[in-house]
Amino acid sequence: MVSISSTYDIMKLKLSSMASHSYTLLDVHRDIQKGYRLSCAMAVAERLGITDIQLAELLGVSIRTLQRVPDAKSPLNAQMSDRLYRLARIVAMAEYVLEGADSARTWMLEHQRALGGAKPLDVISSEAGYRAVEDLLGRIEYGVYS
């Protein structure tokens, strides 16, 4: 599985210090509570090739709410930051398991039989769906028929 360090490094969520092992999940929790910057969310959206409307849906807000964030340096609220963390982590994991950003992007946007025909990007809006996608990527990584 991909490490949390890789997740943030790939998604540019300012957490490269995790490689030093001084950064814990409790630190991630604190960062989520403080709020990630909108620019981090935009970087993830760009990496996935999704629209602002799709990003707003993934963050659990309306497009108007997302547009009201004053600028790219403004922090998102804790709920939006938590969803961004999950999104960035699953994208990074997909990039690692599927060996590249292009294949991960394609996989995230395609219907997957192992997810009941749903797209991974549509499923990760809930914790249970996130875990189902994470589990599927783990099975793919280890060559388990899915």
PDB file of all heavy atoms in Angstrom, residues 38-46 48 50-63 66 76 80 83-84 87 121:
ATOM      1  N   LEU A  38      -7.495  25.798  -0.504  1.00  0.00           N
ATOM      2  CA  LEU A  38      -8.247  25.545  -1.725  1.00  0.00           C
ATOM      3  C   LEU A  38      -7.299  25.159  -2.854  1.00  0.00           C
ATOM      4  O   LEU A  38      -7.638  24.326  -3.692  1.00  0.00           O
ATOM      5  CB  LEU A  38      -9.079  26.772  -2.106  1.00  0.00           C
ATOM      6  CG  LEU A  38      -9.874  26.667  -3.394  1.00  0.00           C
ATOM      7  CD1 LEU A  38     -10.879  25.521  -3.323  1.00  0.00           C
ATOM      8  CD2 LEU A  38     -10.579  27.979  -3.702  1.00  0.00           C
ATOM      9  N   SER A  39      -6.103  25.726  -2.862  1.00  0.00           N
ATOM     10  CA  SER A  39      -5.143  25.403  -3.920  1.00  0.00           C
ATOM     11  C   SER A  39      -4.790  23.915  -3.909  1.00  0.00           C
ATOM     12  O   SER A  39      -4.535  23.328  -4.966  1.00  0.00           O
ATOM     13  CB  SER A  39      -3.879  26.255  -3.790  1.00  0.00           C
ATOM     14  OG  SER A  39      -3.267  26.046  -2.531  1.00  0.00           O
ATOM     15  N   CYS A  40      -4.797  23.276  -2.742  1.00  0.00           N
ATOM     16  CA  CYS A  40      -4.556  21.827  -2.662  1.00  0.00           C
ATOM     17  C   CYS A  40      -5.690  21.077  -3.349  1.00  0.00           C
ATOM     18  O   CYS A  40      -5.448  20.119  -4.089  1.00  0.00           O
ATOM     19  CB  CYS A  40      -4.442  21.381  -1.216  1.00  0.00           C
ATOM     20  SG  CYS A  40      -3.005  21.998  -0.351  1.00  0.00           S
ATOM     21  N   ALA A  41      -6.912  21.502  -3.100  1.00  0.00           N
ATOM     22  CA  ALA A  41      -8.066  20.862  -3.731  1.00  0.00           C
ATOM     23  C   ALA A  41      -8.016  21.036  -5.243  1.00  0.00           C
ATOM     24  O   ALA A  41      -8.299  20.100  -5.994  1.00  0.00           O
ATOM     25  CB  ALA A  41      -9.367  21.448  -3.173  1.00  0.00           C
ATOM     26  N   MET A  42      -7.619  22.215  -5.688  1.00  0.00           N
ATOM     27  CA  MET A  42      -7.529  22.463  -7.122  1.00  0.00           C
ATOM     28  C   MET A  42      -6.434  21.612  -7.757  1.00  0.00           C
ATOM     29  O   MET A  42      -6.577  21.148  -8.886  1.00  0.00           O
ATOM     30  CB  MET A  42      -7.297  23.952  -7.391  1.00  0.00           C
ATOM     31  CG  MET A  42      -8.386  24.852  -6.828  1.00  0.00           C
ATOM     32  SD  MET A  42     -10.060  24.328  -7.222  1.00  0.00           S
ATOM     33  CE  MET A  42     -10.259  25.065  -8.809  1.00  0.00           C
ATOM     34  N   ALA A  43      -5.346  21.385  -7.042  1.00  0.00           N
ATOM     35  CA  ALA A  43      -4.260  20.536  -7.557  1.00  0.00           C
ATOM     36  C   ALA A  43      -4.733  19.096  -7.722  1.00  0.00           C
ATOM     37  O   ALA A  43      -4.417  18.437  -8.718  1.00  0.00           O
ATOM     38  CB  ALA A  43      -3.053  20.604  -6.629  1.00  0.00           C
ATOM     39  N   VAL A  44      -5.511  18.612  -6.767  1.00  0.00           N
ATOM     40  CA  VAL A  44      -6.052  17.251  -6.864  1.00  0.00           C
ATOM     41  C   VAL A  44      -7.024  17.175  -8.041  1.00  0.00           C
ATOM     42  O   VAL A  44      -6.989  16.226  -8.829  1.00  0.00           O
ATOM     43  CB  VAL A  44      -6.741  16.830  -5.547  1.00  0.00           C
ATOM     44  CG1 VAL A  44      -7.447  15.492  -5.706  1.00  0.00           C
ATOM     45  CG2 VAL A  44      -5.725  16.764  -4.418  1.00  0.00           C
ATOM     46  N   ALA A  45      -7.886  18.167  -8.180  1.00  0.00           N
ATOM     47  CA  ALA A  45      -8.849  18.186  -9.288  1.00  0.00           C
ATOM     48  C   ALA A  45      -8.129  18.202 -10.634  1.00  0.00           C
ATOM     49  O   ALA A  45      -8.519  17.481 -11.563  1.00  0.00           O
ATOM     50  CB  ALA A  45      -9.771  19.399  -9.164  1.00  0.00           C
ATOM     51  N   GLU A  46      -7.091  18.994 -10.720  1.00  0.00           N
ATOM     52  CA  GLU A  46      -6.312  19.058 -11.959  1.00  0.00           C
ATOM     53  C   GLU A  46      -5.649  17.713 -12.250  1.00  0.00           C
ATOM     54  O   GLU A  46      -5.643  17.243 -13.383  1.00  0.00           O
ATOM     55  CB  GLU A  46      -5.255  20.152 -11.846  1.00  0.00           C
ATOM     56  CG  GLU A  46      -4.463  20.365 -13.116  1.00  0.00           C
ATOM     57  CD  GLU A  46      -3.453  21.487 -12.987  1.00  0.00           C
ATOM     58  OE1 GLU A  46      -3.733  22.476 -12.280  1.00  0.00           O
ATOM     59  OE2 GLU A  46      -2.368  21.356 -13.592  1.00  0.00           O
ATOM     60  N   LEU A  48      -6.706  14.826 -11.417  1.00  0.00           N
ATOM     61  CA  LEU A  48      -7.733  13.881 -11.843  1.00  0.00           C
ATOM     62  C   LEU A  48      -8.398  14.277 -13.153  1.00  0.00           C
ATOM     63  O   LEU A  48      -9.060  13.461 -13.782  1.00  0.00           O
ATOM     64  CB  LEU A  48      -8.824  13.771 -10.776  1.00  0.00           C
ATOM     65  CG  LEU A  48      -8.578  12.804  -9.646  1.00  0.00           C
ATOM     66  CD1 LEU A  48      -9.653  12.946  -8.593  1.00  0.00           C
ATOM     67  CD2 LEU A  48      -8.510  11.384 -10.153  1.00  0.00           C
ATOM     68  N   ILE A  50     -10.836  16.602 -13.359  1.00  0.00           N
ATOM     69  CA  ILE A  50     -12.260  16.768 -13.083  1.00  0.00           C
ATOM     70  C   ILE A  50     -12.609  18.250 -13.030  1.00  0.00           C
ATOM     71  O   ILE A  50     -11.740  19.111 -12.845  1.00  0.00           O
ATOM     72  CB  ILE A  50     -12.681  16.074 -11.766  1.00  0.00           C
ATOM     73  CG1 ILE A  50     -11.918  16.639 -10.569  1.00  0.00           C
ATOM     74  CG2 ILE A  50     -12.502  14.568 -11.890  1.00  0.00           C
ATOM     75  CD1 ILE A  50     -12.379  16.107  -9.223  1.00  0.00           C
ATOM     76  N   THR A  51     -13.883  18.539 -13.176  1.00  0.00           N
ATOM     77  CA  THR A  51     -14.360  19.919 -13.178  1.00  0.00           C
ATOM     78  C   THR A  51     -14.530  20.432 -11.742  1.00  0.00           C
ATOM     79  O   THR A  51     -14.524  19.652 -10.786  1.00  0.00           O
ATOM     80  CB  THR A  51     -15.727  20.016 -13.879  1.00  0.00           C
ATOM     81  OG1 THR A  51     -16.688  19.291 -13.103  1.00  0.00           O
ATOM     82  CG2 THR A  51     -15.660  19.453 -15.298  1.00  0.00           C
ATOM     83  N   ASP A  52     -14.726  21.733 -11.627  1.00  0.00           N
ATOM     84  CA  ASP A  52     -14.994  22.330 -10.318  1.00  0.00           C
ATOM     85  C   ASP A  52     -16.294  21.786  -9.728  1.00  0.00           C
ATOM     86  O   ASP A  52     -16.404  21.610  -8.515  1.00  0.00           O
ATOM     87  CB  ASP A  52     -15.078  23.854 -10.423  1.00  0.00           C
ATOM     88  CG  ASP A  52     -13.724  24.501 -10.680  1.00  0.00           C
ATOM     89  OD1 ASP A  52     -12.693  23.800 -10.597  1.00  0.00           O
ATOM     90  OD2 ASP A  52     -13.693  25.712 -10.964  1.00  0.00           O
ATOM     91  N   ILE A  53     -17.258  21.507 -10.586  1.00  0.00           N
ATOM     92  CA  ILE A  53     -18.534  20.955 -10.118  1.00  0.00           C
ATOM     93  C   ILE A  53     -18.305  19.567  -9.515  1.00  0.00           C
ATOM     94  O   ILE A  53     -18.819  19.246  -8.437  1.00  0.00           O
ATOM     95  CB  ILE A  53     -19.574  20.902 -11.258  1.00  0.00           C
ATOM     96  CG1 ILE A  53     -19.961  22.330 -11.660  1.00  0.00           C
ATOM     97  CG2 ILE A  53     -20.798  20.090 -10.853  1.00  0.00           C
ATOM     98  CD1 ILE A  53     -20.793  22.416 -12.916  1.00  0.00           C
ATOM     99  N   GLN A  54     -17.516  18.737 -10.198  1.00  0.00           N
ATOM    100  CA  GLN A  54     -17.213  17.400  -9.673  1.00  0.00           C
ATOM    101  C   GLN A  54     -16.421  17.502  -8.369  1.00  0.00           C
ATOM    102  O   GLN A  54     -16.663  16.738  -7.434  1.00  0.00           O
ATOM    103  CB  GLN A  54     -16.426  16.587 -10.703  1.00  0.00           C
ATOM    104  CG  GLN A  54     -17.254  16.168 -11.898  1.00  0.00           C
ATOM    105  CD  GLN A  54     -16.388  15.566 -12.991  1.00  0.00           C
ATOM    106  OE1 GLN A  54     -15.445  16.187 -13.456  1.00  0.00           O
ATOM    107  NE2 GLN A  54     -16.730  14.348 -13.387  1.00  0.00           N
ATOM    108  N   LEU A  55     -15.486  18.436  -8.309  1.00  0.00           N
ATOM    109  CA  LEU A  55     -14.712  18.631  -7.082  1.00  0.00           C
ATOM    110  C   LEU A  55     -15.628  19.027  -5.934  1.00  0.00           C
ATOM    111  O   LEU A  55     -15.514  18.485  -4.829  1.00  0.00           O
ATOM    112  CB  LEU A  55     -13.624  19.687  -7.288  1.00  0.00           C
ATOM    113  CG  LEU A  55     -12.813  20.049  -6.046  1.00  0.00           C
ATOM    114  CD1 LEU A  55     -12.042  18.833  -5.528  1.00  0.00           C
ATOM    115  CD2 LEU A  55     -11.866  21.207  -6.343  1.00  0.00           C
ATOM    116  N   ALA A  56     -16.536  19.955  -6.182  1.00  0.00           N
ATOM    117  CA  ALA A  56     -17.477  20.375  -5.139  1.00  0.00           C
ATOM    118  C   ALA A  56     -18.283  19.186  -4.629  1.00  0.00           C
ATOM    119  O   ALA A  56     -18.454  19.022  -3.416  1.00  0.00           O
ATOM    120  CB  ALA A  56     -18.401  21.468  -5.678  1.00  0.00           C
ATOM    121  N   GLU A  57     -18.752  18.333  -5.532  1.00  0.00           N
ATOM    122  CA  GLU A  57     -19.505  17.144  -5.130  1.00  0.00           C
ATOM    123  C   GLU A  57     -18.656  16.225  -4.260  1.00  0.00           C
ATOM    124  O   GLU A  57     -19.123  15.708  -3.250  1.00  0.00           O
ATOM    125  CB  GLU A  57     -20.005  16.389  -6.361  1.00  0.00           C
ATOM    126  CG  GLU A  57     -21.125  17.079  -7.092  1.00  0.00           C
ATOM    127  CD  GLU A  57     -21.507  16.382  -8.393  1.00  0.00           C
ATOM    128  OE1 GLU A  57     -21.025  15.256  -8.643  1.00  0.00           O
ATOM    129  OE2 GLU A  57     -22.287  16.969  -9.156  1.00  0.00           O
ATOM    130  N   LEU A  58     -17.394  16.042  -4.651  1.00  0.00           N
ATOM    131  CA  LEU A  58     -16.504  15.170  -3.875  1.00  0.00           C
ATOM    132  C   LEU A  58     -16.203  15.750  -2.493  1.00  0.00           C
ATOM    133  O   LEU A  58     -15.974  15.008  -1.546  1.00  0.00           O
ATOM    134  CB  LEU A  58     -15.198  14.939  -4.638  1.00  0.00           C
ATOM    135  CG  LEU A  58     -15.330  14.027  -5.848  1.00  0.00           C
ATOM    136  CD1 LEU A  58     -14.083  14.116  -6.711  1.00  0.00           C
ATOM    137  CD2 LEU A  58     -15.571  12.593  -5.406  1.00  0.00           C
ATOM    138  N   LEU A  59     -16.217  17.072  -2.389  1.00  0.00           N
ATOM    139  CA  LEU A  59     -15.972  17.723  -1.105  1.00  0.00           C
ATOM    140  C   LEU A  59     -17.257  17.877  -0.297  1.00  0.00           C
ATOM    141  O   LEU A  59     -17.230  18.349   0.844  1.00  0.00           O
ATOM    142  CB  LEU A  59     -15.306  19.088  -1.314  1.00  0.00           C
ATOM    143  CG  LEU A  59     -13.925  19.069  -1.960  1.00  0.00           C
ATOM    144  CD1 LEU A  59     -13.391  20.487  -2.121  1.00  0.00           C
ATOM    145  CD2 LEU A  59     -12.949  18.211  -1.167  1.00  0.00           C
ATOM    146  N   GLY A  60     -18.382  17.499  -0.882  1.00  0.00           N
ATOM    147  CA  GLY A  60     -19.653  17.517  -0.171  1.00  0.00           C
ATOM    148  C   GLY A  60     -20.271  18.895  -0.026  1.00  0.00           C
ATOM    149  O   GLY A  60     -20.987  19.154   0.942  1.00  0.00           O
ATOM    150  N   VAL A  61     -19.998  19.767  -1.000  1.00  0.00           N
ATOM    151  CA  VAL A  61     -20.555  21.123  -0.964  1.00  0.00           C
ATOM    152  C   VAL A  61     -21.104  21.480  -2.339  1.00  0.00           C
ATOM    153  O   VAL A  61     -20.826  20.808  -3.328  1.00  0.00           O
ATOM    154  CB  VAL A  61     -19.490  22.169  -0.542  1.00  0.00           C
ATOM    155  CG1 VAL A  61     -19.004  21.905   0.868  1.00  0.00           C
ATOM    156  CG2 VAL A  61     -18.335  22.217  -1.517  1.00  0.00           C
ATOM    157  N   SER A  62     -21.852  22.559  -2.386  1.00  0.00           N
ATOM    158  CA  SER A  62     -22.338  23.041  -3.671  1.00  0.00           C
ATOM    159  C   SER A  62     -21.218  23.806  -4.380  1.00  0.00           C
ATOM    160  O   SER A  62     -20.256  24.248  -3.746  1.00  0.00           O
ATOM    161  CB  SER A  62     -23.547  23.967  -3.474  1.00  0.00           C
ATOM    162  OG  SER A  62     -23.118  25.184  -2.881  1.00  0.00           O
ATOM    163  N   ILE A  63     -21.370  23.960  -5.665  1.00  0.00           N
ATOM    164  CA  ILE A  63     -20.376  24.723  -6.426  1.00  0.00           C
ATOM    165  C   ILE A  63     -20.325  26.164  -5.936  1.00  0.00           C
ATOM    166  O   ILE A  63     -19.267  26.766  -5.871  1.00  0.00           O
ATOM    167  CB  ILE A  63     -20.633  24.636  -7.957  1.00  0.00           C
ATOM    168  CG1 ILE A  63     -19.505  25.313  -8.753  1.00  0.00           C
ATOM    169  CG2 ILE A  63     -21.965  25.239  -8.320  1.00  0.00           C
ATOM    170  CD1 ILE A  63     -18.154  24.659  -8.626  1.00  0.00           C
ATOM    171  N   LEU A  66     -18.113  26.319  -2.885  1.00  0.00           N
ATOM    172  CA  LEU A  66     -16.712  26.218  -3.286  1.00  0.00           C
ATOM    173  C   LEU A  66     -16.235  27.530  -3.890  1.00  0.00           C
ATOM    174  O   LEU A  66     -15.123  27.985  -3.607  1.00  0.00           O
ATOM    175  CB  LEU A  66     -16.527  25.074  -4.289  1.00  0.00           C
ATOM    176  CG  LEU A  66     -15.092  24.694  -4.623  1.00  0.00           C
ATOM    177  CD1 LEU A  66     -14.358  24.202  -3.378  1.00  0.00           C
ATOM    178  CD2 LEU A  66     -15.066  23.627  -5.711  1.00  0.00           C
ATOM    179  N   LEU A  76      -9.986  25.509   3.677  1.00  0.00           N
ATOM    180  CA  LEU A  76     -11.293  24.876   3.598  1.00  0.00           C
ATOM    181  C   LEU A  76     -11.735  24.544   5.019  1.00  0.00           C
ATOM    182  O   LEU A  76     -10.905  24.470   5.928  1.00  0.00           O
ATOM    183  CB  LEU A  76     -11.193  23.588   2.782  1.00  0.00           C
ATOM    184  CG  LEU A  76     -10.663  23.708   1.357  1.00  0.00           C
ATOM    185  CD1 LEU A  76     -10.446  22.328   0.746  1.00  0.00           C
ATOM    186  CD2 LEU A  76     -11.601  24.537   0.505  1.00  0.00           C
ATOM    187  N   MET A  80     -14.669  19.650   4.584  1.00  0.00           N
ATOM    188  CA  MET A  80     -14.134  19.647   3.225  1.00  0.00           C
ATOM    189  C   MET A  80     -12.685  19.149   3.225  1.00  0.00           C
ATOM    190  O   MET A  80     -12.282  18.396   2.331  1.00  0.00           O
ATOM    191  CB  MET A  80     -14.223  21.055   2.621  1.00  0.00           C
ATOM    192  CG  MET A  80     -15.649  21.492   2.354  1.00  0.00           C
ATOM    193  SD  MET A  80     -15.852  23.263   1.999  1.00  0.00           S
ATOM    194  CE  MET A  80     -14.820  23.513   0.594  1.00  0.00           C
ATOM    195  N   ARG A  83     -12.584  15.335   3.528  1.00  0.00           N
ATOM    196  CA  ARG A  83     -12.912  14.698   2.248  1.00  0.00           C
ATOM    197  C   ARG A  83     -11.767  14.861   1.251  1.00  0.00           C
ATOM    198  O   ARG A  83     -11.485  13.940   0.484  1.00  0.00           O
ATOM    199  CB  ARG A  83     -14.202  15.264   1.692  1.00  0.00           C
ATOM    200  CG  ARG A  83     -15.406  14.788   2.459  1.00  0.00           C
ATOM    201  CD  ARG A  83     -16.680  15.372   1.899  1.00  0.00           C
ATOM    202  NE  ARG A  83     -17.816  14.863   2.617  1.00  0.00           N
ATOM    203  CZ  ARG A  83     -18.894  14.376   2.029  1.00  0.00           C
ATOM    204  NH1 ARG A  83     -18.965  14.327   0.719  1.00  0.00           N
ATOM    205  NH2 ARG A  83     -19.892  13.941   2.745  1.00  0.00           N
ATOM    206  N   LEU A  84     -11.105  15.995   1.291  1.00  0.00           N
ATOM    207  CA  LEU A  84      -9.952  16.204   0.419  1.00  0.00           C
ATOM    208  C   LEU A  84      -8.831  15.238   0.781  1.00  0.00           C
ATOM    209  O   LEU A  84      -8.188  14.663  -0.098  1.00  0.00           O
ATOM    210  CB  LEU A  84      -9.458  17.649   0.499  1.00  0.00           C
ATOM    211  CG  LEU A  84      -8.205  17.960  -0.317  1.00  0.00           C
ATOM    212  CD1 LEU A  84      -8.419  17.678  -1.802  1.00  0.00           C
ATOM    213  CD2 LEU A  84      -7.785  19.417  -0.091  1.00  0.00           C
ATOM    214  N   LEU A  87      -9.736  11.869  -0.623  1.00  0.00           N
ATOM    215  CA  LEU A  87      -9.605  11.894  -2.078  1.00  0.00           C
ATOM    216  C   LEU A  87      -8.139  11.826  -2.484  1.00  0.00           C
ATOM    217  O   LEU A  87      -7.752  11.017  -3.332  1.00  0.00           O
ATOM    218  CB  LEU A  87     -10.265  13.160  -2.643  1.00  0.00           C
ATOM    219  CG  LEU A  87     -10.104  13.397  -4.143  1.00  0.00           C
ATOM    220  CD1 LEU A  87     -10.747  12.267  -4.949  1.00  0.00           C
ATOM    221  CD2 LEU A  87     -10.706  14.741  -4.519  1.00  0.00           C
ATOM    222  N   LEU A 121     -14.594   7.062  -8.168  1.00  0.00           N
ATOM    223  CA  LEU A 121     -14.732   8.474  -7.792  1.00  0.00           C
ATOM    224  C   LEU A 121     -16.114   8.769  -7.209  1.00  0.00           C
ATOM    225  O   LEU A 121     -16.246   9.615  -6.342  1.00  0.00           O
ATOM    226  CB  LEU A 121     -14.469   9.362  -9.012  1.00  0.00           C
ATOM    227  CG  LEU A 121     -13.986  10.758  -8.739  1.00  0.00           C
ATOM    228  CD1 LEU A 121     -12.718  10.761  -7.894  1.00  0.00           C
ATOM    229  CD2 LEU A 121     -13.723  11.499 -10.033  1.00  0.00           C
TER     230      LEU A 121
END
